[in-house]
Amino acid sequence: MKPTALALIISQVLIWPQAMAQDTSSDVDTLKRQLAELMEEVEYLSERVDRPETHAATDRVAITGDFRTKVHSLHYQDVSWGPGMTVQTPDGQRMAMSMFGPGVKPMPKDIDNDLFYTTRLRLNIKAKVWDNVNFTGRLTMFKNWGDSTEVNVFDSWNSFTQDGTSSGHPNGDTLRVERAYFDWKNIGGSHAYLSIGRRPSSYGYPTNLRENELRGGTPSGHLVNFNFDGVTLGYKLGEITGIDGQVLRFCYGQGYESEWGNGEMFGNIETDDTHLGGFNIDLLDDGSNVLQMTLFAAMDVADGFKGTMAMPQELIDIMMPGMQVPSNVNFVTRYQPSTNIGDIYLGGLTFVREEDNGLKWFTSLGWTRTDPNGNVGMFGGMNSDPLYAMNPDGTVDMSPIGSTDNEAHDAWSIYTGIQLPIADNQKLGLEYNYGSKYWTPFTQAQDDPIGSKLATRGHAFEAYYIYEVNPRMFIKVAGLYYDFDYSGSGSPVGAPQNIDEVIDGQAFSMMPVVDTAWDANASITLKF
């Protein structure tokens, strides 16, 4: 009980005998009843004062979140699967051979999934540790209706369940730690800060606009939408230069741990850790304009990441010929890299502007460079396929002798869009992006079911409409169209193949290829 409340009670108790002495005819029962009512009122007021103070003292963690349910209508045109290999003949010539036999072409088909439902729950955790130290976390559950297996069937690298993409792919009703890090600001009274943990590396500019959210991640969403663990050391340059929002960040992380937890006993698999590092610079952020530059490198990239997959029947038939496995049974297996295949460099410049009337528009340029080291694994090397040797008797040695391409390749991408306010609570958005043949960004955690649209080697178009029911609830209707030029969108492993040539049987791919696809979807999102 608060001192003020106690003083009030004491004062009333002291007045009560005086009142009885002055008017002996007063009804004692009435005074007792009034005192009892007064005590109840004091206790009520005391509880109201106690509640926020107790909350401040004991409930130091704030939990918010959002809930989204979404329905897609997915349609794929000219889906083809033509596995093959590149063979070097005894006289040094190279030839492509179909695993189905000579002269056999794939049979393209259309695939329709008229209704595909998903649910996403995200819980945001924030805590003030000290005056200049904060903790931030986010737990995410993302699942498609009727499936809690937590393992996806391996039909592309986009479906591979791994550390960096687990929050962006439907994988069961398990809450996963998408983010967990602390910020130590104004270190030693300076403008520097340090942050360590599972990084906020998804939903950065300008991809937050299509999500109808504020900026969610540090790096450009055009280049990076991928979870990783690491460190950020930043400095608020704007305090020195006078330019609003100017911040320099150096980021370091680890994408793959090679020595600990591999599926072998005596170091038989010799791989190096995959390290990530680079700079993210907010050149300007004044509330209306954002200009951001990202420079990033992934060193000693492996031919995959530790993860799990359900092995499809088609790959079982190729890799384990003669094994009798029912068509409705999958091997759930743990995959790990077999070798390091090279380095990847990324760079980009993004500009976002909001006009006085609420109109928002952006343009972003991206560049990637893949630098292979010549190593190959089961599915290939850095943007290259395994090279096999043909024996003089015409048989093929199934152990690769190298890769089909050891050259470094530069690639580029453009991403642009506009968001129009058509009423106080309605928005219309239009977006377009293009990626060249060897375009290899780190956006695999983007939750587009057909695959990250920003990883497309080809063209991708999107139109969406957002209706805000209230400030904490909105409905979104959207359509995406993909026109793929080359295979392997979103993967650094394997040589990009011309889609038309794969369909015609002139080129081969270990993973299915899609010519065009579209996704019509509608969602409702609540924020709490």
Side-chain angles (χ1 to χ4, degrees):
M1 186 177 294
K2 301 288 172 244
T4 53
L6 182 61
L8 179 60
I9 293 173
I10 293 174
S11 65
Q12 294 300 316
V13 172
L14 292 175
I15 292 174
W16 187 29
Q18 296 178 13
M20 291 186 64
Q22 293 176 0
D23 187 1
T24 57
S25 63
S26 299
D27 190 343
V28 176
D29 293 336
T30 300
L31 290 175
K32 288 181 178 180
R33 177 177 54 78
Q34 292 174 347
L35 180 58
E37 292 175 352
L38 179 62
M39 291 290 290
E40 290 178 1
E41 182 69 19
V42 170
E43 290 179 1
Y44 169 73
L45 293 174
S46 179
E47 288 178 0
R48 290 193 58 181
V49 173
D50 280 341
R51 198 172 296 126
E53 289 193 0
T54 301
H55 173 78
T58 61
D59 299 340
R60 293 174 14 200
V61 176
I63 299 178
T64 61
D66 61 77
F67 175 85
R68 185 190 75 188
T69 186
K70 195 169 186 177
V71 57
H72 300 262
S73 184
L74 306 175
H75 304 272
Y76 307 78
Q77 290 78 46
D78 289 331
V79 181
S80 302
W81 185 53
M85 62 179 67
T86 302
V87 177
Q88 183 169 291
T89 62
D91 60 359
Q93 300 297 314
R94 292 186 181 184
M95 57 183 296
M97 295 178 57
S98 170
M99 289 185 176
F100 292 154
V104 178
K105 293 185 178 181
M107 300 179 63
K109 60 181 179 180
D110 295 343
I111 299 175
D112 299 307
N113 186 348
D114 294 328
L115 292 175
F116 176 71
Y117 297 95
T118 64
T119 292
R120 187 188 70 185
L121 171 66
R122 300 191 300 191
L123 299 178
N124 303 308
I125 303 171
K126 289 186 177 293
K128 185 175 182 179
V129 179
W130 202 246
D131 291 341
N132 63 337
V133 180
N134 297 319
F135 170 82
T136 302
R138 182 153 80 187
L139 307 178
T140 300
M141 181 209 75
F142 186 33
K143 71 183 300 289
N144 55 290
W145 290 14
D147 183 6
S148 294
T149 60
E150 299 187 11
V151 179
N152 296 323
V153 175
F154 182 52
D155 56 11
S156 72
W157 284 98
N158 292 324
S159 64
F160 184 49
T161 303
Q162 57 176 293
D163 179 57
T165 64
S166 60
S167 65
H169 291 172
N171 49 36
D173 55 5
T174 301
L175 271 177
R176 299 176 182 268
V177 180
E178 180 183 352
R179 300 177 179 181
Y181 61 94
F182 73 83
D183 289 317
W184 180 13
K185 304 175 182 178
N186 303 322
I187 299 174
S190 70
H191 301 304
Y193 72 91
L194 175 69
S195 182
I196 302 177
R198 192 156 172 80
R199 310 306 305 147
S201 51
S202 55
Y203 305 103
Y205 285 131
T207 60
N208 60 301
L209 296 181
R210 68 191 291 255
E211 301 291 332
N212 199 34
E213 296 178 346
L214 298 175
R215 179 184 187 179
T218 299
S220 166
H222 187 187
L223 294 171
V224 179
N225 193 322
F226 194 87
N227 304 318
F228 71 93
D229 307 295
V231 179
T232 294
L233 180 62
Y235 195 88
K236 298 179 181 178
L237 285 177
E239 301 294 337
I240 298 176
T241 63
I243 299 176
D244 291 339
Q246 192 172 78
V247 179
L248 170 66
R249 302 176 181 89
F250 170 75
C251 303
Y252 162 78
Q254 184 167 335
Y256 169 63
E257 165 58 46
S258 62
E259 283 81 21
W260 181 271
N262 278 333
E264 39 82 27
M265 296 176 65
F266 300 108
N268 298 320
I269 298 176
E270 296 182 0
T271 54
D272 296 324
D273 295 345
T274 299
H275 296 280
L276 316 171
F279 292 91
N280 190 85
I281 308 172
D282 289 350
L283 298 169
L284 172 67
D285 188 355
D286 62 3
S288 298
N289 303 280
V290 174
L291 181 61
Q292 181 187 44
M293 182 171 66
T294 299
L295 297 171
F296 189 76
M299 311 302 293
D300 295 321
V301 174
D303 61 330
F305 295 85
K306 293 176 186 174
T308 54
M309 65 174 72
M311 188 70 73
Q313 181 68 46
E314 292 85 350
L315 291 183
I316 293 175
D317 293 340
I318 290 177
M319 298 177 183
M320 307 172 188
M323 179 172 288
Q324 300 298 317
V325 179
S327 60
N328 62 335
V329 174
N330 296 107
F331 288 121
V332 175
T333 182
R334 181 183 183 274
Y335 180 85
Q336 69 183 43
S338 61
T339 185
N340 300 98
I341 58 176
D343 305 326
I344 300 178
Y345 303 92
L346 305 93
L349 192 65
T350 298
F351 179 73
V352 182
R353 176 172 172 79
E354 181 175 359
E355 304 291 350
D356 293 338
N357 61 358
L359 182 147
K360 300 175 183 178
W361 60 273
F362 66 85
T363 184
S364 180
L365 294 174
W367 160 83
T368 65
R369 180 180 178 86
T370 51
D371 191 2
N373 58 16
N375 295 337
V376 293
M378 180 186 305
F379 297 98
M382 178 75 73
N383 276 335
S384 63
D385 288 333
L387 179 63
Y388 299 91
M390 177 180 289
N391 300 316
D393 61 0
T395 60
V396 177
D397 187 348
M398 296 308 295
S399 296
I401 61 173
S403 67
T404 57
D405 186 359
N406 294 329
E407 297 295 323
H409 292 285
D410 293 293
W412 66 278
S413 173
I414 185 172
Y415 178 31
T416 186
I418 188 170
Q419 188 180 86
L420 305 164
I422 56 178
D424 290 341
N425 61 341
Q426 300 175 58
K427 305 171 185 177
L428 179 66
L430 300 171
E431 295 188 3
Y432 166 76
N433 61 275
Y434 170 81
S436 64
K437 180 177 181 179
Y438 291 97
W439 172 242
T440 312
F442 279 74
T443 62
Q444 294 90 338
Q446 200 168 33
D447 64 1
D448 304 322
I450 291 177
S452 166
K453 75 166 191 172
L454 292 176
T456 301
R457 290 170 174 168
H459 307 267
F461 305 84
E462 180 175 14
Y464 62 84
Y465 166 78
I466 294 174
Y467 173 74
E468 295 180 343
V469 180
N470 57 57
R472 294 186 177 273
M473 179 178 178
F474 68 88
I475 295 170
K476 178 182 175 183
V477 179
L480 287 85
Y481 180 78
Y482 299 74
D483 184 1
F484 297 98
D485 290 339
Y486 296 93
S487 65
S489 295
S491 171
V493 181
Q497 302 291 349
N498 184 282
I499 299 296
D500 293 334
E501 292 181 0
V502 174
I503 294 175
D504 291 339
Q506 302 173 28
F508 306 99
S509 174
M510 287 298 292
M511 294 290 113
V513 301
V514 179
D515 185 15
T516 59
W518 57 277
D519 170 10
N521 61 80
S523 62
I524 184 167
T525 302
L526 315 177
K527 300 179 181 181
F528 54 87

